[in-house]
Amino acid sequence: MWKRNLVRGLALVTLVGVLSGCGANSQSSASKSSSSSAKTTKTQTKRQRLISELPKDVKSTDADLVVVNKWNKRSEMSFSKSSVNGIDVRTSIVKPLEAFMAGAKKAGYPATIVSGYRSVAYQKEVWSQSIQTYENEGKSAKEALKLTKEYVAVPRGSEHETGLAADIMNTHWYNTHGNQLLSSSDKNKGQQWLIKHAPDYGFVLRFTKSGTKSTGIDYESWHFRYVGKKSAQFMTKHNLTLEQYVSLLKAREKAAK
């Protein structure tokens, strides 16, 4: 009899333990679900706040905000082009670009415009040359393609095709580093000035350290994009990429319908 009672007692203890465990797991799952829900709500609230603070007279369809990347490819775009320091850009950004360069020079940090507008055909050449360069260094075709994708936009998916982008480097740094475009240039005070003051002239650093996922391009301390002063200041203040900013504008426009 005592054995039977012992077995029954152990069974009850086990059952209580199992039930207690289920209760704990249930509470844990509920806690995780609640935490996830709170996080989602917080994200939504932040997005709604950003939408409410967007510049009033800016639209997602504005010419200065055209999004071109590997997910949004464009055929050759048609617009008026002009030259700034021997580099072609869209005519509409000549004045702000010249003012940006003049501002850098006045601050004691003369800058060089390395690259501006590129046709789709030229971007194809840049793409192919990049792959060939890596292969010449001993990289396999697969490795060369992977490395090229990190820093070179695919043809028809390059910002340079918009005429609104320019690669700009502190002249001294650029000249003393083999005329290379390197992210490490941001350690230079002149490049830091360009990054910090770009919004004052309507430009943003297009490919930021935190924006790689939405842009598809790794960090570039030299690639500036004109978006207009109001947009540039808002994007910089809230650390937004152009993709994220335009998404917010579209959400506002959709809600207004």
Side-chain angles (χ1 to χ4, degrees), residues 40-167:
T40 299
T41 300
K42 186 176 180 180
T43 300
Q44 292 175 337
T45 301
K46 180 181 179 182
R47 181 176 173 81
Q48 291 169 349
R49 177 176 59 79
L50 286 173
I51 291 174
S52 69
E53 296 176 359
L54 287 168
K56 302 301 181 184
D57 55 350
V58 177
K59 297 180 181 179
S60 65
T61 53
D62 289 348
D64 292 336
L65 300 180
V66 59
V67 176
V68 178
N69 55 35
K70 64 181 180 181
W71 304 289
N72 298 279
K73 297 179 181 178
R74 299 286 295 264
S75 298
E76 190 68 64
M77 302 173 70
S78 178
F79 48 80
S80 174
K81 306 175 189 67
S82 299
S83 177
V84 176
N85 297 344
I87 301 296
D88 284 346
V89 294
R90 188 181 293 221
T91 300
S92 62
I93 75 166
V94 167
K95 287 185 178 180
L97 182 55
E98 288 179 335
F100 190 16
M101 294 299 95
K105 184 176 181 180
K106 184 177 180 179
Y109 304 114
T112 296
I113 304 175
V114 180
S115 179
Y117 164 74
R118 295 179 196 157
S119 66
V120 173
Y122 184 66
Q123 187 63 25
K124 288 180 180 178
E125 291 181 20
V126 173
W127 177 268
S128 298
Q129 287 174 358
S130 175
I131 292 176
Q132 188 61 56
T133 298
Y134 283 121
E135 290 182 345
N136 291 342
E137 293 175 353
K139 301 290 192 300
S140 67
K142 185 177 181 179
E143 290 174 328
L145 179 60
K146 181 178 182 298
L147 289 168
T148 292
K149 285 181 177 180
E150 290 179 359
Y151 292 104
V152 181
V154 297
R156 295 180 54 242
S158 170
E159 277 252 307
H160 287 283
E161 294 161 15
T162 68
L164 297 167
D167 293 335

Side-chain angles (χ1 to χ4, degrees), residues 208-228:
T208 61
K209 292 179 179 178
S210 61
T212 300
K213 186 175 181 180
S214 64
T215 64
I217 297 291
D218 280 359
Y219 173 59
E220 293 185 354
S221 59
W222 61 85
H223 185 107
F224 295 89
R225 161 67 190 263
Y226 185 79
V227 293

